[in-house]
C-alpha cells in the first residue's frame, strides 16, 4: 500500500492530509490524482465509499489560481445534501490554502442569500443542476473562467431528468477545460453525455476483487412488511440504520409505525423544507435519531459514519439504485449489512435487478423484543455559528466549564454559518438547555432550542 507521499504532492498538501488522517490513498485516488493533476479528462468508476470525493477535490484545489477573481471550478451533484457534503470535504482539503471560497448553490434556499455570498467572490461552485442554471440565467454566476468541471453521480442526474440543464450549463463553459465524471455505476445512457462533455477521456475502472464492498446481503420473503421490519431491526440491533422506501408517502407511513413502536426515527424526503432536511440528517448522523427512513434522495453519495445496516423496505426499480443504497454502509473499508424485505412483487422486482440474491424465510431471525433503538442523546440548536465566530470549542467550553456538564455526556458538535448543533445525553439535557439559555457562548447571548 503506498502513501500520499509517493504521489509527489507539495509538502503543505501532505501535512494537511496527515492532519485529516488520510495516509494511504485509496485505489481510485492513487490512479486518479496523478492523471487529474496532469489535466486529463477522466471517467472514474469506483465502488461506493472508496474516496472518490478526495480523488477529484484534491487536484482541483491544488490547481486553484489565487489571482483569479471568478470561479475556477464547477461541481454538479444530484442532491442538495450531497452538494453540501462535497463542499465540506473541499473546505477541509483546502485548509492549507488561504481564502479559498467555496459556495453551494441549490434549491430550497434563498436566492438572495446565495447571491450575497457569490458577491464576496467564489473559487469553487458546487450545486444541483436546476439552481445552477437559474443563477446562470440571472447572470449571478460567471462561468467564463471555469477550468474544471466535475459531474458527481452523473448517472443519477440523468435519471432525474437533469440532462438538458447540465448540457445548457456545459455549453456555456470555456471549451478549453478539464472535465471529470465520477460514479460507482455507469448505465448505458451515460455514454452519450460523456461523448458530448468530455474530450478523449481516460477511463479509470477499479474493479478488482478487493474493491468489492464488504456488505452481507440478505433477502427475506415476507407477508407483512411492517412486522418484518421490526423483527429485522430487533434481530440485527444496529446502532445506525437507514431504511429505504420508494415513495415519500411511504417514508412518512413507515416512520410513524416505527415511532409508535418506540423507535427514534428521522424521515428524509423531498417534501420537507430544506432546513428540515438538514436537521433530520444531522440528528441521524449525531445519533439523536438513529433510524433514517428515506427515499432515494439519500441513496447517492451521502457519507455518514458507521451506518451498520441498510434495509430496503421497498425494492428499488433499478440495479444501480440497489448498489448505491447498500453503499451507504460499509464505507471506507468498514463492513455492513444490507437487508431486502420482499413481498411477492418485491421478489419479482429483485430477481430482475439482482438475480444472484436468494430469498430466505424471516422465521430464522431471533428478534430481541426489548430492543427499540432509542437514543440516549438529543440535539440542541444554537442560533449562532461561524458568522458570529463561534467554534465547537467555545460551545464545549461553555457546557463543561460554565454549566458543569461532563465531557463524556456531550456528543457531536456541528457548527454551520448561522447555526450550531450539539448532541447531549438526555440525562443532562435540561441542565444544558437552561444553562445555555441563561448563559453566554464566547461572551454572546444566543437563542437556544431543542430539536
Ligand atoms: P465515494 O464518493 O467513493 O462514495 P467518499 O468520497 O464519500 O466516497 O469517501 C468515503 C469515506 O472515506 C469518507 O468518510 C472519507 O473521509 C473517507 N476517505 C476518503 N479517502 C480516504 C483515505 N485516503 N484514507 C482514509 N479514509 C478516506
Ligand atoms: Mg461520492
Amino acid at each position: 500500500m503506498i502513501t500520499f507521499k509517493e504521489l509527489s504532492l507539495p509538502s503543505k498538501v501532505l501535512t494537511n492530509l496527515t492532519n485529516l488522517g488520510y495516509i494511504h490513498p485509496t485505489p481510485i485516488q492513487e490512479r486518479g490524482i496523478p492523471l487529474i493533476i496532469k489535466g486529463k479528462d477522466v471517467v472514474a468508476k469506483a465502488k461506493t465509499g472508496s474516496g472518490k470525493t478526495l480523488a477529484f477535490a484534491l487536484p482541483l484545489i491544488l490547481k486553484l489560481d489565487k489571482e483569479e477573481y471568478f470561479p475556477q471550478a464547477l461541481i454538479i451533484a444530484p442532491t442538495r445534501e450531497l452538494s453540501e457534503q462535497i463542499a465540506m470535504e473541499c473546505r477541509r482539503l483546502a485548509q492549507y490554502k488561504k481564502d479559498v471560497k467555496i459556495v453551494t448553490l441549490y434549491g430550497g434556499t434563498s436566492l438572495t442569500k446565495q447571491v450575497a455570498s457569490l458577491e464576496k467572490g467564489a473559487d469553487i461552485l458546487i450545486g444541483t443542476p436546476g439552481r445552477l442554471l437559474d443563477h446562470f440565467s440571472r447572470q449571478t454566476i460567471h462561468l467564463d473562467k471555469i477550468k474544471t468541471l466535475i459531474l458527481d453521480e452523473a448517472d443519477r442526474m440523468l435519471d432525474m431528468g437533469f440532462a438538458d440543464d447540465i448540457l445548457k450549463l456545459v455549453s456555456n463553459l470555456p471549451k478549453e477545460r478539464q472535465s471529470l465524471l465520477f460514479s460507482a455505476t455507469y448505465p448505458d445512457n451515460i455514454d452519450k453525455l460523456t461523448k458530448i462533455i468530455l474530450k478523449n477521456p481516460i477511463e479509470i475502472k477499479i474493479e478488482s476483487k478487493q474493491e468489492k464492498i464488504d456488505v452481507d446481503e440478505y433477502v427475506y420473503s415476507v407477508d407483512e412488511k411492517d412486522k418484518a421490519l421490526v423483527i429485522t431491526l430487533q434481530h440485527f440491533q444496529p446502532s445506525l440504520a437507514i431504511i429505504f422506501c420508494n415513495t415519500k408517502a411511504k417514508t412518512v407511513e413507515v416512520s410513524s409505525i416505527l415511532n409508535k413502536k418506540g423507535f427514534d426515527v428521522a424521515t428524509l424526503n423531498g417534501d420537507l423544507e430544506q432546513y428540515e432536511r438538514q436537521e433530520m440528517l444531522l440528528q441521524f448522523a449525531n445519533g439523536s435519531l438513529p433510524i433514517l427512513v428515506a427515499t432515494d434522495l439519500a441513496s447517492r453519495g451521502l457519507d455518514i459514519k458507521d451506518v451498520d445496516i441498510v434495509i430496503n423496505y421497498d425494492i428499488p426499480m433499478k440495479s444501480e439504485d440497489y448498489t448505491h443504497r447498500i453503499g451507504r454502509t460499509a464505507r471506507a473499508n468498514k463492513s455492513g449489512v444490507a437487508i431486502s424485505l420482499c413481498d411477492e412483487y418485491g421478489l419479482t422486482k429483485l430477481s430482475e435487478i439482482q438475480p444472484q440474491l436468494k430469498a430466505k424465510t424471516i422465521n430464522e431471525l431471533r428478534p430481541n423484543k426489548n430492543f427499540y433503538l432509542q437514543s440516549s442523546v438529543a440535539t440542541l440548536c444554537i442560533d449562532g455559528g461561524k458568522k458570529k465566530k463561534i467554534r465547537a470549542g467555545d460551545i464545549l467550553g461553555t457546557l463543561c466549564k460554565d454549566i458543569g456538564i461532563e465531557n463524556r455526556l456531550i456528543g457531536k458538535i456541528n457548527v454551520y454559518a448561522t447555526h450550531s448543533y450539539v448532541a447531549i445525553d438526555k440525562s443532562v439535557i435540561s441542565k444544558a438547555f437552561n444553562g445555555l439559555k441563561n448563559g453566554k457562548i464566547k461572551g454572546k447571548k444566543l437563542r437556544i432550542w431543542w430539536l
Side-chain angles (χ1 to χ4, degrees), residues 217-219 312 315-316 318-327 338 340 350 353-354 356-357:
E217 297 165 76
Y218 302 97
V219 181
N312 287 314
I315 304 308
K318 300 171 80 171
S319 158
E320 289 81 22
D321 294 335
Y322 180 88
T323 303
H324 288 275
R325 283 182 180 189
I326 72 166
S340 298
L350 194 71
I353 63 165
Q354 297 289 310
Q356 81 288 2
L357 294 176

Side-chain angles (χ1 to χ4, degrees), residues 4 22 24-25 29 47-53 303 305 331-332:
F4 278 105
Y22 298 145
H24 303 284
Q29 293 164 359
K47 68 175 178 175
T48 52
S50 64
K52 292 190 286 296
T53 319
D303 182 57
K305 296 256 167 321
R331 300 182 68 74

Side-chain angles (χ1 to χ4, degrees), residues 136-339:
F136 181 73
S137 22
R138 288 163 196 264
Q139 301 188 352
T140 45
I141 53 175
H142 187 101
L143 300 178
D144 291 353
K145 302 287 170 165
I146 297 286
K147 287 189 294 196
T148 317
L149 164 73
I150 292 158
L151 302 173
D152 196 17
E153 310 280 354
D155 55 319
R156 176 70 185 166
M157 295 199 275
L158 294 189
D159 276 354
M160 293 168 86
F162 282 147
D164 286 350
D165 286 0
I166 293 175
L167 288 174
K168 268 185 214 149
L169 278 167
V170 170
S171 66
N172 287 289
L173 296 179
K175 296 268 168 308
E176 280 301 311
R177 61 158 199 270
Q178 180 177 32
S179 308
L180 311 170
L181 215 110
F182 276 76
S183 186
T185 48
Y186 285 89
D188 299 338
N189 63 357
I190 199 88
D191 272 359
K192 222 165 113 192
L193 191 79
T194 316
K195 284 203 183 97
I196 302 176
I197 298 181
L198 285 82
K199 240 192 258 166
N200 308 321
I202 298 182
E203 249 185 59
I204 309 178
K205 266 193 189 165
I206 311 280
E207 277 184 320
S208 64
K209 267 203 186 118
Q210 76 199 47
E211 262 288 309
K212 213 171 151 7
I213 61 167
D214 188 10
V215 179
D216 289 327
E217 297 165 76
Y218 302 97
V219 181
Y220 295 109
S221 142
V222 303
D223 295 326
E224 291 176 272
K225 276 207 258 179
D226 299 337
K227 251 194 193 160
L229 177 60
V230 174
I231 292 174
T232 307
L233 288 167
Q234 290 184 329
H235 171 89
F236 287 95
Q237 304 189 26
S239 30
L240 280 185
I242 303 185
I243 300 168
F244 281 106
C245 301
N246 287 357
T247 63
K248 300 182 223 175
K250 206 70 196 175
T251 60
V252 175
E253 200 181 298
V254 170
S255 296
S256 125
I257 291 168
L258 290 175
N259 248 321
K260 279 192 196 129
K261 294 255 177 221
F263 291 87
D264 286 339
V265 185
T267 316
L268 185 69
N269 67 47
D271 277 347
L272 301 179
E273 296 288 337
Q274 187 53 28
Y275 80 91
E276 294 174 304
R277 279 165 63 160
Q278 274 161 2
E279 290 184 347
M280 285 292 176
L281 211 51
L282 180 125
Q283 290 178 92
F284 174 61
N286 77 11
S288 298
L289 298 174
I291 299 181
L292 181 72
V293 183
T295 56
D296 279 299
L297 186 57
S299 69
R300 289 286 180 146
L302 292 190
D303 182 57
I304 295 161
K305 296 256 167 321
D306 304 324
V307 172
D308 36 25
I309 187 168
V310 169
I311 302 176
N312 287 314
Y313 179 93
D314 292 322
I315 304 308
M317 305 311 269
K318 300 171 80 171
S319 158
E320 289 81 22
D321 294 335
Y322 180 88
T323 303
H324 288 275
R325 283 182 180 189
I326 72 166
R328 293 320 97 206
T329 181
R331 300 182 68 74
N333 280 325
K334 296 223 166 83
S335 59
V337 173
I339 311 283

